[in-house]
Amino acid sequence: WALIGDDGFVRLDVRSHILTHDDAVIYFQYTGLLEMNVAFQQARSSGGETAYGDHYFYTNPRLETGDERYSWVNRTFFVAQGRATKDGVGYRIWRCV
């Protein structure tokens, strides 16, 4: 995990690639804030989960691709809310239209 700031928040900066089911490559990155409160820390240490809203966990995913089939992601704004899961973290992502 990243460093927790004096205010109890982690500043997220994630970058990776997605390979879609039809072999398109999409670059994604997101920044965000994750509140390392008691609920989140207990879930992570025990292998448990949190519900959306148990802690402040929001990101702004940005996607880019050169594949014309997915060119709409290059001009779309996304927001996401996160939570702790047994496998790590989970997100629900909204496409702003």
Side-chain angles (χ1 to χ4, degrees), residues 23-97:
D23 294 323
V25 177
I26 300 175
Y27 169 77
F28 77 92
Q29 70 177 56
Y30 62 85
T31 57
L33 288 172
L34 166 57
E35 179 186 18
M36 297 297 286
N37 67 3
V38 172
F40 189 84
Q41 290 183 33
Q42 285 179 343
R44 296 301 302 151
S45 66
S46 68
E49 298 190 345
T50 60
Y52 292 108
D54 282 350
H55 47 88
Y56 193 93
F57 188 175
Y58 291 93
T59 69
N60 174 218
R62 182 175 151 218
L63 287 76
E64 297 178 21
T65 187
D67 192 306
E68 288 299 316
R69 298 171 294 169
Y70 292 92
S71 63
W72 61 272
V73 303
N74 296 327
R75 55 186 180 276
T76 303
F77 191 85
F78 299 92
V79 293
Q81 184 179 25
R83 69 182 188 94
T85 67
K86 292 176 183 173
D87 297 321
V89 294
Y91 295 97
R92 53 185 179 187
I93 301 171
W94 294 273
R95 176 183 178 203
C96 300
V97 292

